[in-house]
Protein backbone atom coordinates (compact mmCIF):
# COMPACT_ATOMS: atom_id res chain seq x y z
CA UNK A 1 0.00 0.00 0.00
CA UNK A 2 1.30 3.51 -1.01
CA UNK A 3 2.07 5.95 1.75
CA UNK A 4 -0.52 8.77 2.22
CA UNK A 5 1.99 11.40 0.99
CA UNK A 6 2.44 9.53 -2.30
CA UNK A 7 -1.34 9.27 -2.78
CA UNK A 8 -1.66 13.07 -2.28
CA UNK A 9 1.01 13.72 -4.92
CA UNK A 10 -0.74 11.41 -7.41
CA UNK A 11 -4.11 13.03 -6.63
CA UNK A 12 -2.76 16.56 -7.13
CA UNK A 13 -1.18 15.57 -10.46
CA UNK A 14 -4.43 14.00 -11.65
CA UNK A 15 -6.45 17.07 -10.71
CA UNK A 16 -3.95 19.38 -12.48
CA UNK A 17 -4.07 17.19 -15.59
CA UNK A 18 -7.86 17.31 -15.51
CA UNK A 19 -7.85 21.11 -15.23
CA UNK A 20 -5.46 21.36 -18.18
CA UNK A 21 -7.68 19.10 -20.28
CA UNK A 22 -10.73 21.19 -19.39
CA UNK A 23 -8.90 24.40 -20.30
CA UNK A 24 -7.78 22.86 -23.61
CA UNK A 25 -11.34 21.71 -24.34
CA UNK A 26 -12.64 25.18 -23.46
CA UNK A 27 -10.07 26.74 -25.81
CA UNK A 28 -11.32 24.47 -28.57
CA UNK A 29 -14.96 25.29 -27.76
CA UNK A 30 -14.80 28.94 -26.67
CA UNK A 31 -12.50 31.91 -27.04
CA UNK A 32 -12.32 35.41 -25.58
CA UNK A 33 -12.94 38.71 -27.38
CA UNK A 34 -9.74 40.76 -27.55
CA UNK A 35 -10.75 43.44 -30.08
CA UNK A 36 -13.80 44.74 -31.88
CA UNK A 37 -13.27 47.41 -34.52
CA UNK A 38 -15.87 48.38 -37.11
CA UNK A 39 -17.64 45.26 -38.35
CA UNK A 40 -15.16 42.57 -37.22
CA UNK A 41 -14.66 40.90 -33.86
CA UNK A 42 -11.25 39.42 -33.00
CA UNK A 43 -10.85 36.70 -30.40
CA UNK A 44 -8.24 34.31 -29.01
CA UNK A 45 -9.72 30.98 -30.00
CA UNK A 46 -11.81 28.92 -30.34
CA UNK A 47 -10.56 26.32 -32.81
CA UNK A 48 -13.00 26.75 -35.69
CA UNK A 49 -13.14 26.52 -39.47
CA UNK A 50 -13.81 29.38 -41.87
CA UNK A 51 -17.54 29.59 -42.53
CA UNK A 52 -18.46 28.01 -39.19
CA UNK A 53 -21.10 29.66 -37.04
CA UNK A 54 -20.28 30.92 -33.52
CA UNK A 55 -22.16 32.50 -30.64
CA UNK A 56 -21.08 35.83 -29.20
CA UNK A 57 -21.97 35.66 -25.49
CA UNK A 58 -21.45 37.75 -22.42
CA UNK A 59 -19.48 36.27 -19.51
CA UNK A 60 -22.83 35.20 -18.00
CA UNK A 61 -23.83 33.30 -21.16
CA UNK A 62 -26.35 35.79 -22.60
CA UNK A 63 -26.42 35.62 -26.41
CA UNK A 64 -25.47 38.88 -28.09
CA UNK A 65 -25.45 37.68 -31.71
CA UNK A 66 -24.56 34.79 -33.93
CA UNK A 67 -21.39 35.32 -35.95
CA UNK A 68 -19.57 33.65 -38.81
CA UNK A 69 -15.85 32.91 -38.98
CA UNK A 70 -14.41 34.87 -41.91
CA UNK A 71 -10.68 34.36 -41.29
CA UNK A 72 -7.89 33.70 -38.80
CA UNK A 73 -4.23 34.50 -38.17
CA UNK A 74 -2.40 32.24 -35.74
CA UNK A 75 -4.69 31.89 -32.72
CA UNK A 76 -6.57 35.10 -33.62
CA UNK A 77 -10.01 34.39 -35.05
CA UNK A 78 -11.90 36.97 -37.12
CA UNK A 79 -15.68 36.72 -36.90
CA UNK A 80 -18.42 38.83 -38.47
CA UNK A 81 -21.59 39.25 -36.38
CA UNK A 82 -24.87 38.44 -38.11
CA UNK A 83 -26.62 41.28 -36.23
CA UNK A 84 -25.34 44.50 -34.66
CA UNK A 85 -23.70 43.79 -31.28
CA UNK A 86 -24.45 46.28 -28.56
CA UNK A 87 -22.91 45.69 -25.17
CA UNK A 88 -20.03 43.54 -26.40
CA UNK A 89 -17.07 43.83 -24.00
CA UNK A 90 -13.43 42.80 -23.84
CA UNK A 91 -13.28 39.23 -22.56
CA UNK A 92 -16.76 38.20 -23.73
CA UNK A 93 -16.97 34.69 -25.12
CA UNK A 94 -16.92 33.43 -28.70
CA UNK A 95 -18.43 29.93 -28.54
CA UNK A 96 -18.06 27.42 -31.38
CA UNK A 97 -21.26 25.67 -32.46
CA UNK A 98 -19.61 23.10 -34.73
CA UNK A 99 -22.09 23.80 -37.54
CA UNK A 100 -22.41 25.91 -40.68
CA UNK A 101 -25.36 28.22 -41.46
CA UNK A 102 -28.47 26.35 -42.64
CA UNK A 103 -31.89 27.32 -43.95
CA UNK A 104 -35.21 25.43 -44.16
CA UNK A 105 -36.05 24.08 -47.63
CA UNK A 106 -39.13 22.47 -49.15
CA UNK A 107 -42.66 23.27 -50.31
CA UNK A 108 -43.34 25.08 -47.05
CA UNK A 109 -41.31 28.01 -48.43
CA UNK A 110 -43.70 28.70 -51.32
CA UNK A 111 -45.63 31.94 -50.98
CA UNK A 112 -43.46 33.08 -48.09
CA UNK A 113 -41.23 36.11 -47.50
CA UNK A 114 -38.17 35.10 -45.43
CA UNK A 115 -35.02 36.69 -44.03
CA UNK A 116 -31.48 35.52 -44.79
CA UNK A 117 -31.77 32.75 -42.15
CA UNK A 118 -35.04 31.45 -43.60
CA UNK A 119 -37.11 32.94 -40.78
CA UNK A 120 -40.53 34.38 -41.76
CA UNK A 121 -40.98 38.12 -42.25
CA UNK A 122 -44.57 37.98 -43.51
CA UNK A 123 -46.31 37.26 -40.18
CA UNK A 124 -47.79 34.02 -41.52
CA UNK A 125 -46.32 31.78 -38.82
CA UNK A 126 -43.38 29.36 -38.86
CA UNK A 127 -42.14 27.71 -42.06
CA UNK A 128 -43.70 24.24 -42.28
CA UNK A 129 -40.67 22.09 -43.10
CA UNK A 130 -38.17 20.09 -41.08
CA UNK A 131 -35.51 19.80 -43.82
CA UNK A 132 -32.54 22.16 -43.57
CA UNK A 133 -29.64 22.63 -45.99
CA UNK A 134 -26.24 24.26 -45.48
CA UNK A 135 -26.07 27.49 -47.51
CA UNK A 136 -22.39 27.10 -48.46
CA UNK A 137 -22.04 24.62 -51.34
CA UNK A 138 -19.80 23.99 -54.32
CA UNK A 139 -20.93 24.66 -57.92
CA UNK A 140 -21.83 21.74 -60.15
CA UNK A 141 -18.86 20.01 -61.84
CA UNK A 142 -18.47 21.07 -65.47
CA UNK A 143 -19.16 17.65 -66.99
CA UNK A 144 -22.28 17.02 -64.88
CA UNK A 145 -24.08 19.87 -66.68
CA UNK A 146 -26.16 18.84 -69.71
CA UNK A 147 -26.26 21.08 -72.78
CA UNK A 148 -28.88 23.84 -72.73
CA UNK A 149 -31.38 22.89 -75.44
CA UNK A 150 -34.74 24.25 -74.29
CA UNK A 151 -35.90 27.89 -74.25
CA UNK A 152 -37.02 29.43 -70.97
CA UNK A 153 -40.26 31.24 -71.80
CA UNK A 154 -40.16 34.58 -70.00
CA UNK A 155 -43.39 36.10 -71.30
CA UNK A 156 -41.43 39.24 -72.31
CA UNK A 157 -41.49 39.77 -76.11
CA UNK A 158 -38.17 41.60 -76.38
CA UNK A 159 -36.43 38.80 -74.45
CA UNK A 160 -38.19 35.77 -75.95
CA UNK A 161 -37.84 37.11 -79.48
CA UNK A 162 -34.40 38.73 -79.64
CA UNK A 163 -32.47 37.61 -76.51
CA UNK A 164 -33.99 34.17 -75.96
CA UNK A 165 -32.99 32.58 -72.66
CA UNK A 166 -32.30 28.89 -72.23
CA UNK A 167 -33.50 26.79 -69.31
CA UNK A 168 -30.46 26.51 -67.03
CA UNK A 169 -28.76 29.62 -68.44
CA UNK A 170 -27.29 32.42 -66.28
CA UNK A 171 -27.86 35.94 -67.53
CA UNK A 172 -27.33 39.43 -66.12
CA UNK A 173 -29.64 42.45 -66.33
CA UNK A 174 -27.30 45.45 -66.41
CA UNK A 175 -28.95 48.73 -65.47
CA UNK A 176 -28.43 52.06 -63.79
CA UNK A 177 -30.89 53.48 -61.29
CA UNK A 178 -34.44 54.35 -62.34
CA UNK A 179 -34.63 52.53 -65.68
CA UNK A 180 -37.29 49.92 -64.82
CA UNK A 181 -35.20 47.08 -63.42
CA UNK A 182 -37.68 46.17 -60.65
CA UNK A 183 -40.58 46.36 -63.09
CA UNK A 184 -38.82 43.93 -65.44
CA UNK A 185 -37.99 41.55 -62.57
CA UNK A 186 -41.62 41.62 -61.47
CA UNK A 187 -42.74 40.77 -65.00
CA UNK A 188 -40.28 37.88 -65.17
CA UNK A 189 -41.44 36.58 -61.78
CA UNK A 190 -45.09 36.66 -62.85
CA UNK A 191 -44.72 35.25 -66.36
CA UNK A 192 -41.65 32.95 -66.37
CA UNK A 193 -42.62 29.49 -67.57
CA UNK A 194 -40.86 27.65 -64.71
CA UNK A 195 -42.27 25.53 -61.91
CA UNK A 196 -40.79 27.60 -59.06
CA UNK A 197 -39.57 31.20 -58.72
CA UNK A 198 -36.93 32.01 -56.05
CA UNK A 199 -36.21 35.70 -55.48
CA UNK A 200 -33.38 37.32 -53.52
CA UNK A 201 -33.75 41.02 -52.67
CA UNK A 202 -30.31 42.02 -51.42
CA UNK A 203 -29.69 45.46 -49.96
CA UNK A 204 -33.09 46.83 -51.03
CA UNK A 205 -34.69 49.86 -49.42
CA UNK A 206 -37.24 48.81 -46.79
CA UNK A 207 -40.05 50.61 -48.60
CA UNK A 208 -39.37 48.79 -51.88
CA UNK A 209 -39.64 45.27 -50.43
CA UNK A 210 -43.37 45.42 -49.77
CA UNK A 211 -43.91 47.36 -53.00
CA UNK A 212 -42.17 44.61 -54.97
CA UNK A 213 -43.98 41.74 -53.22
CA UNK A 214 -47.47 43.25 -53.46
CA UNK A 215 -47.31 45.33 -56.64
CA UNK A 216 -44.64 43.87 -58.93
CA UNK A 217 -44.91 40.21 -57.90
CA UNK A 218 -48.60 40.22 -57.01
CA UNK A 219 -50.77 37.29 -55.86
CA UNK A 220 -50.30 35.45 -59.18
CA UNK A 221 -46.50 35.42 -58.93
CA UNK A 222 -46.37 34.91 -55.18
CA UNK A 223 -48.20 31.58 -55.15
CA UNK A 224 -45.26 29.72 -56.70
CA UNK A 225 -42.50 31.95 -55.33
CA UNK A 226 -40.30 32.28 -52.26
CA UNK A 227 -38.72 35.65 -51.49
CA UNK A 228 -35.55 36.08 -49.41
CA UNK A 229 -34.90 39.60 -48.13
CA UNK A 230 -31.93 41.41 -46.57
CA UNK A 231 -32.49 45.17 -46.60
CA UNK A 232 -29.84 47.87 -46.87
CA UNK A 233 -29.77 48.51 -43.10
CA UNK A 234 -28.85 44.90 -42.27
CA UNK A 235 -25.31 43.66 -41.69
CA UNK A 236 -23.12 42.83 -44.70
CA UNK A 237 -23.07 39.21 -43.59
CA UNK A 238 -26.86 39.00 -43.77
CA UNK A 239 -26.82 40.53 -47.24
CA UNK A 240 -24.34 37.90 -48.45
CA UNK A 241 -26.29 35.13 -46.73
CA UNK A 242 -29.47 36.27 -48.46
CA UNK A 243 -27.91 35.51 -51.85
CA UNK A 244 -26.60 32.16 -50.61
CA UNK A 245 -29.94 31.23 -49.02
CA UNK A 246 -31.91 31.91 -52.20
CA UNK A 247 -29.40 29.92 -54.26
CA UNK A 248 -29.64 27.00 -51.80
CA UNK A 249 -33.45 26.99 -51.93
CA UNK A 250 -33.30 26.96 -55.75
CA UNK A 251 -30.84 24.03 -55.67
CA UNK A 252 -33.19 22.06 -53.42
CA UNK A 253 -36.07 22.39 -55.89
CA UNK A 254 -33.70 21.49 -58.75
CA UNK A 255 -32.75 18.26 -56.95
CA UNK A 256 -36.46 17.32 -57.07
CA UNK A 257 -36.46 17.60 -60.88
CA UNK A 258 -38.20 20.99 -61.05
CA UNK A 259 -37.35 23.92 -63.28
CA UNK A 260 -36.51 26.98 -61.17
CA UNK A 261 -36.03 30.65 -62.05
CA UNK A 262 -33.65 32.32 -59.58
CA UNK A 263 -34.00 36.12 -59.66
CA UNK A 264 -31.36 37.99 -57.66
CA UNK A 265 -31.37 41.76 -57.17
CA UNK A 266 -28.55 42.53 -57.09
CA UNK A 267 -25.11 41.01 -57.56
CA UNK A 268 -23.60 44.47 -57.10
CA UNK A 269 -24.99 44.78 -53.57
CA UNK A 270 -23.65 41.31 -52.74
CA UNK A 271 -20.22 42.47 -53.96
CA UNK A 272 -20.49 45.65 -51.87
CA UNK A 273 -21.31 43.59 -48.77
CA UNK A 274 -18.32 41.34 -49.47
CA UNK A 275 -16.15 44.44 -49.83
CA UNK A 276 -17.25 45.62 -46.37
CA UNK A 277 -16.38 42.23 -44.88
CA UNK A 278 -13.02 42.01 -46.65
CA UNK A 279 -11.90 45.51 -45.68
CA UNK A 280 -13.05 45.00 -42.08
CA UNK A 281 -10.78 41.95 -41.75
CA UNK A 282 -7.75 43.77 -43.16
CA UNK A 283 -7.82 42.53 -46.76
CA UNK A 284 -6.11 45.03 -49.11
CA UNK A 285 -8.35 46.77 -51.65
CA UNK A 286 -7.64 46.34 -55.33
CA UNK A 287 -9.95 47.34 -58.20
CA UNK A 288 -12.18 50.30 -57.20
CA UNK A 289 -11.79 49.40 -53.54
CA UNK A 290 -12.94 45.78 -53.97
CA UNK A 291 -10.59 43.22 -52.38
CA UNK A 292 -9.58 40.13 -54.39
CA UNK A 293 -11.90 37.85 -52.36
CA UNK A 294 -14.93 39.52 -53.98
CA UNK A 295 -13.89 38.39 -57.46
CA UNK A 296 -13.11 34.90 -56.14
CA UNK A 297 -16.58 34.66 -54.53
CA UNK A 298 -18.65 35.78 -57.53
CA UNK A 299 -18.00 32.74 -59.78
CA UNK A 300 -18.62 30.39 -56.83
CA UNK A 301 -22.03 32.00 -56.36
CA UNK A 302 -23.08 32.43 -59.98
CA UNK A 303 -21.87 29.01 -61.14
CA UNK A 304 -24.25 27.28 -58.72
CA UNK A 305 -27.12 27.93 -61.16
CA UNK A 306 -27.57 25.70 -64.19
CA UNK A 307 -28.92 22.34 -65.31
CA UNK A 308 -27.96 19.12 -63.54
CA UNK A 309 -27.79 15.67 -65.11
CA UNK A 310 -30.79 13.64 -64.00
CA UNK A 311 -32.36 16.55 -62.12
CA UNK A 312 -34.03 19.85 -62.90
CA UNK A 313 -32.61 23.26 -63.73
CA UNK A 314 -31.91 26.64 -62.15
CA UNK A 315 -32.07 29.54 -64.60
CA UNK A 316 -30.17 32.38 -62.93
CA UNK A 317 -31.25 35.96 -63.70
CA UNK A 318 -29.03 38.44 -61.85
CA UNK A 319 -29.33 42.21 -61.85
CA UNK A 320 -26.09 44.17 -61.94
CA UNK A 321 -26.16 47.85 -61.00
CA UNK A 322 -23.94 49.92 -63.27
CA UNK A 323 -22.99 53.15 -61.56
CA UNK A 324 -23.34 56.08 -63.94
CA UNK A 325 -24.40 53.56 -66.65
CA UNK A 326 -20.73 52.49 -66.85
CA UNK A 327 -20.57 48.90 -68.10
CA UNK A 328 -16.82 48.78 -67.39
CA UNK A 329 -17.41 48.90 -63.62
CA UNK A 330 -15.30 46.09 -62.03
CA UNK A 331 -18.31 44.12 -60.74
CA UNK A 332 -20.22 44.54 -64.01
CA UNK A 333 -17.15 43.52 -65.99
CA UNK A 334 -16.49 40.45 -63.83
CA UNK A 335 -20.16 39.40 -63.92
CA UNK A 336 -20.38 39.73 -67.69
CA UNK A 337 -17.34 37.47 -68.05
CA UNK A 338 -18.94 34.75 -65.88
CA UNK A 339 -22.54 34.84 -67.14
CA UNK A 340 -23.96 33.33 -70.35
CA UNK A 341 -25.35 36.60 -71.64
CA UNK A 342 -26.47 40.08 -70.70
CA UNK A 343 -29.58 42.26 -71.01
CA UNK A 344 -28.80 45.98 -70.97
CA UNK A 345 -31.45 48.51 -69.92
CA UNK A 346 -30.97 51.90 -71.58
CA UNK A 347 -31.72 55.18 -69.82
CA UNK A 348 -32.46 56.81 -73.18
CA UNK A 349 -35.37 54.41 -73.74
CA UNK A 350 -36.67 54.75 -70.18
CA UNK A 351 -36.73 58.52 -70.55
CA UNK A 352 -39.07 58.06 -73.53
CA UNK A 353 -41.36 55.78 -71.46
CA UNK A 354 -40.30 52.84 -73.65
CA UNK A 355 -40.69 49.83 -71.31
CA UNK A 356 -39.13 47.42 -70.90
CA UNK A 357 -36.16 49.69 -71.67
CA UNK A 358 -34.10 46.89 -73.23
CA UNK A 359 -31.33 47.92 -75.61
CA UNK A 360 -31.44 44.88 -77.88
CA UNK A 361 -28.28 45.88 -79.77
CA UNK A 362 -26.23 45.97 -76.54
CA UNK A 363 -27.81 42.73 -75.23
CA UNK A 364 -26.90 39.16 -76.06
CA UNK A 365 -27.84 35.59 -75.15
CA UNK A 366 -24.97 33.22 -75.86
CA UNK A 367 -27.19 30.15 -76.01
CA UNK A 368 -29.88 31.60 -78.30
CA UNK A 369 -28.55 30.13 -81.59
CA UNK A 370 -28.84 26.60 -80.14
CA UNK A 371 -32.37 26.81 -78.70
CA UNK A 372 -34.51 28.65 -81.28
CA UNK A 373 -35.66 27.73 -84.76
CA UNK A 374 -33.62 28.79 -87.77
CA UNK A 375 -36.49 31.03 -88.91
CA UNK A 376 -36.62 32.85 -85.58
CA UNK A 377 -32.86 33.33 -85.45
CA UNK A 378 -32.76 34.75 -89.00
CA UNK A 379 -35.66 37.07 -88.21
CA UNK A 380 -34.00 38.25 -85.00
CA UNK A 381 -30.78 39.04 -86.88
CA UNK A 382 -32.74 40.95 -89.52
CA UNK A 383 -34.66 42.99 -86.92
CA UNK A 384 -31.40 43.79 -85.13
CA UNK A 385 -29.93 44.92 -88.45
CA UNK A 386 -32.88 47.23 -89.13
CA UNK A 387 -32.62 48.73 -85.63
CA UNK A 388 -28.88 49.30 -86.14
CA UNK A 389 -29.38 50.95 -89.54
CA UNK A 390 -32.06 53.25 -88.15
CA UNK A 391 -29.98 54.17 -85.12
CA UNK A 392 -26.96 54.95 -87.27
CA UNK A 393 -28.96 57.30 -89.51
CA UNK A 394 -31.61 58.76 -87.21
CA UNK A 395 -29.88 62.16 -86.89
CA UNK A 396 -29.79 62.45 -90.68
CA UNK A 397 -33.48 61.53 -90.87
CA UNK A 398 -34.56 63.81 -88.01
CA UNK A 399 -33.13 66.96 -89.65
CA UNK A 400 -34.71 66.08 -93.01
CA UNK A 401 -31.40 65.54 -94.80
CA UNK A 402 -32.25 62.03 -96.01
CA UNK A 403 -34.04 61.61 -99.34
CA UNK A 404 -36.20 58.51 -99.52
CA UNK A 405 -35.01 56.00 -102.12
CA UNK A 406 -31.31 56.76 -101.63
CA UNK A 407 -30.75 53.65 -99.49
CA UNK A 408 -33.20 50.73 -99.81
CA UNK A 409 -32.04 49.19 -96.51
CA UNK A 410 -32.64 52.42 -94.60
CA UNK A 411 -36.01 52.83 -96.35
CA UNK A 412 -37.00 49.38 -95.11
CA UNK A 413 -35.77 50.17 -91.59
CA UNK A 414 -37.76 53.43 -91.52
CA UNK A 415 -40.91 51.70 -92.73
CA UNK A 416 -40.64 48.91 -90.17
CA UNK A 417 -39.52 51.02 -87.21
CA UNK A 418 -42.99 51.79 -85.77
CA UNK A 419 -43.90 48.09 -85.87
CA UNK A 420 -40.55 47.14 -84.29
CA UNK A 421 -41.11 49.62 -81.47
CA UNK A 422 -44.62 48.26 -80.93
CA UNK A 423 -43.13 44.76 -80.71
CA UNK A 424 -40.46 45.77 -78.19
CA UNK A 425 -42.84 47.73 -75.95
CA UNK A 426 -45.03 45.75 -73.57
CA UNK A 427 -47.33 46.16 -70.61
CA UNK A 428 -45.46 43.91 -68.18
CA UNK A 429 -48.62 42.98 -66.31
CA UNK A 430 -49.59 40.98 -69.43
CA UNK A 431 -47.61 37.95 -70.62
CA UNK A 432 -46.78 37.49 -74.31
CA UNK A 433 -47.11 33.81 -75.34
CA UNK A 434 -43.83 32.48 -76.76
CA UNK A 435 -45.40 31.07 -79.94
CA UNK A 436 -47.11 34.39 -80.75
CA UNK A 437 -43.85 36.26 -80.11
CA UNK A 438 -41.99 33.95 -82.48
CA UNK A 439 -44.61 34.30 -85.23
CA UNK A 440 -44.75 38.09 -84.89
CA UNK A 441 -40.95 38.37 -84.95
CA UNK A 442 -40.68 36.26 -88.12
CA UNK A 443 -43.29 38.51 -89.70
CA UNK A 444 -41.29 41.61 -88.70
CA UNK A 445 -37.99 40.17 -89.89
CA UNK A 446 -39.18 39.17 -93.37
CA UNK A 447 -37.95 41.87 -95.78
CA UNK A 448 -39.00 42.70 -99.30
CA UNK A 449 -37.02 41.00 -102.05
CA UNK A 450 -36.79 44.09 -104.24
CA UNK A 451 -33.94 46.38 -103.27
CA UNK A 452 -33.10 44.64 -99.95
CA UNK A 453 -31.35 41.32 -99.53
CA UNK A 454 -33.76 38.84 -97.90
CA UNK A 455 -36.83 36.75 -98.59
CA UNK A 456 -40.22 37.48 -100.05
CA UNK A 457 -42.41 39.90 -98.12
CA UNK A 458 -45.13 38.30 -95.95
CA UNK A 459 -45.32 41.13 -93.47
CA UNK A 460 -49.03 41.71 -93.06
CA UNK A 461 -49.36 44.48 -90.51
CA UNK A 462 -45.63 44.59 -89.77
CA UNK A 463 -45.05 47.13 -92.51
CA UNK A 464 -47.55 49.65 -91.16
CA UNK A 465 -46.28 53.13 -91.85
CA UNK A 466 -45.78 55.74 -89.16
CA UNK A 467 -44.00 58.96 -88.28
CA UNK A 468 -40.47 57.90 -89.26
CA UNK A 469 -38.72 60.73 -87.53
CA UNK A 470 -40.29 59.78 -84.19
CA UNK A 471 -39.10 56.18 -84.09
CA UNK A 472 -37.47 55.49 -80.73
CA UNK A 473 -35.10 52.56 -80.98
Amino acid sequence: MSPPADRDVVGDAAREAKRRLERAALTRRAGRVVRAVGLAVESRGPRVAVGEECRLETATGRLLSLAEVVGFEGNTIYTMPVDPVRGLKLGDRVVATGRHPRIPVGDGLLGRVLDADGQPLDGAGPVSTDTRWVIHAEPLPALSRPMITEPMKSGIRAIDGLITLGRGQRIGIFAGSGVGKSRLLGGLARHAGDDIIVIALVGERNREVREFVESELGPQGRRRSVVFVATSDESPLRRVRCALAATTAAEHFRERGLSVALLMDSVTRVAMALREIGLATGEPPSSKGYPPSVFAFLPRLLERAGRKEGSGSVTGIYTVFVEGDDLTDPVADASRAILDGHIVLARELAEKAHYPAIDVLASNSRVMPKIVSADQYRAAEQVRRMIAVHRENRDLVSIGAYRRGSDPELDEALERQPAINAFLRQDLTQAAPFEQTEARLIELGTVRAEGVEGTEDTRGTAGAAGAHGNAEV
Side-chain angles (χ1 to χ4, degrees):
M1 183 178 293
S2 301
D6 292 343
R7 286 201 301 270
D8 289 344
V9 170
V10 172
D12 289 343
R15 284 190 290 272
E16 179 61 26
K18 184 179 179 181
R19 280 194 295 270
R20 287 181 179 178
L21 287 172
E22 288 174 349
R23 281 198 298 271
L26 184 62
T27 301
R28 284 193 291 269
R29 190 172 58 86
R32 297 289 179 182
V33 173
V34 297
R35 189 169 181 256
V37 177
L39 301 172
V41 174
E42 297 179 22
S43 63
R44 293 286 184 265
R47 293 187 183 178
V48 285
V50 172
E52 190 174 325
E53 203 164 52
C54 295
R55 292 168 57 93
L56 298 181
E57 298 179 351
T58 64
T60 59
R62 180 172 64 88
L63 177 66
L64 295 170
S65 173
L66 292 175
E68 187 174 316
V69 179
V70 294
F72 60 87
E73 185 178 354
N75 194 37
T76 301
I77 306 299
Y78 299 102
T79 56
M80 187 68 57
V82 174
D83 300 306
V85 283
R86 296 180 181 86
L88 182 71
K89 300 189 298 295
L90 187 68
D92 280 346
R93 302 201 316 156
V94 179
V95 182
T97 64
R99 61 175 183 266
H100 290 260
R102 299 168 181 263
I103 61 158
V105 292
D107 289 342
L109 274 60
L110 297 178
R112 303 302 302 271
V113 181
L114 310 173
D115 68 10
D117 296 323
Q119 298 304 308
L121 295 173
D122 51 15
V127 176
S128 57
T129 177
D130 296 326
T131 308
R132 301 181 73 86
W133 277 26
V134 175
I135 62 173
H136 295 286
E138 293 299 316
L140 294 172
L143 295 182
S144 70
R145 298 172 182 259
M147 298 283 286
I148 295 173
T149 56
E150 181 184 358
M152 179 266 205
K153 299 174 182 180
S154 71
I156 312 297
R157 272 195 305 270
I159 295 176
D160 286 345
L162 296 164
I163 322 159
T164 314
L165 307 184
R167 188 157 281 170
Q169 183 180 358
R170 299 156 306 129
I171 198 159
I173 299 176
F174 293 75
S177 58
V179 294
K181 171 171 52 66
S182 296
R183 188 183 302 185
L184 179 57
L185 274 183
L188 287 167
R190 279 193 300 270
H191 308 317
D194 288 281
D195 302 315
I196 304 292
I197 311 295
V198 180
I199 301 167
L201 301 179
V202 182
E204 285 283 356
R205 303 176 187 92
N206 281 271
R207 174 189 61 81
E208 292 181 339
V209 172
R210 186 163 192 168
E211 185 177 299
F212 180 87
V213 170
E214 295 185 2
S215 300
E216 301 296 343
L217 188 57
Q220 174 191 352
R222 191 169 173 181
R223 277 193 293 271
R224 57 178 180 145
S225 303
V226 51
V227 182
F228 289 88
V229 176
T231 52
S232 58
D233 58 319
E234 296 189 54
S235 71
L237 187 59
R238 276 196 177 278
R239 282 176 266 149
V240 175
R241 282 190 177 185
C242 179
L244 293 170
T247 304
T248 302
E251 288 172 330
H252 169 80
F253 289 115
R254 178 178 63 191
E255 286 298 313
R256 293 168 48 186
L258 300 172
S259 64
V260 185
L262 170 62
L263 312 181
M264 187 176 296
D265 184 19
S266 72
V267 169
T268 307
R269 295 195 190 107
V270 175
M272 288 176 173
L274 289 164
R275 177 171 62 183
E276 292 179 49
I277 294 171
L279 295 178
T281 55
E283 195 177 352
S286 55
S287 180
K288 207 170 180 179
Y290 289 99
S293 61
V294 173
F295 302 103
F297 179 90
L298 287 179
R300 293 202 304 270
L301 173 67
L302 302 178
E303 290 284 4
R304 287 172 65 176
R307 291 184 66 195
K308 184 178 180 181
E309 197 76 57
S311 298
S313 65
V314 175
T315 304
I317 302 174
Y318 305 91
T319 68
V320 183
F321 175 73
V322 284
E323 188 176 349
D325 298 329
D326 179 14
L327 291 174
T328 62
D329 174 86
V331 175
D333 203 39
S335 300
R336 195 166 57 248
I338 299 165
L339 298 171
D340 304 317
H342 48 275
I343 297 170
V344 177
L345 303 188
R347 188 171 302 281
E348 181 184 3
L349 294 176
E351 288 171 349
K352 297 175 181 176
H354 178 117
Y355 292 107
I358 297 174
D359 184 345
V360 295
L361 296 184
S363 305
N364 180 45
S365 169
R366 293 190 178 117
V367 304
M368 181 178 173
K370 301 174 184 176
I371 60 174
V372 299
S373 67
D375 287 343
Q376 180 182 342
Y377 190 71
R378 280 194 300 268
E381 291 293 288
Q382 180 61 30
V383 169
R384 282 175 175 270
R385 188 155 49 245
M386 285 191 282
I387 294 172
V389 167
H390 178 267
R391 184 175 294 182
E392 184 180 351
N393 293 279
R394 62 184 170 186
D395 290 342
L396 193 68
V397 173
S398 65
I399 63 173
Y402 174 70
R403 179 181 298 174
R404 194 166 177 93
S406 304
D407 183 343
E409 191 174 26
L410 179 55
D411 289 343
E412 185 76 16
L414 288 171
E415 186 176 352
R416 301 284 179 109
Q417 208 61 39
I420 290 173
N421 280 328
F423 176 83
L424 296 177
R425 276 179 159 165
Q426 183 177 343
D427 176 2
L428 293 179
T429 63
Q430 303 296 321
F434 188 88
E435 294 74 17
Q436 290 182 19
T437 294
E438 182 181 11
R440 189 171 168 185
L441 177 73
I442 291 172
E443 188 179 24
L444 271 176
T446 304
V447 299
R448 290 179 298 185
E450 60 272 17
V452 182
E453 183 180 354
T455 59
E456 185 179 351
D457 184 21
T458 57
R459 289 175 294 161
T461 59
H468 299 155
N470 294 328
E472 294 173 1
V473 176

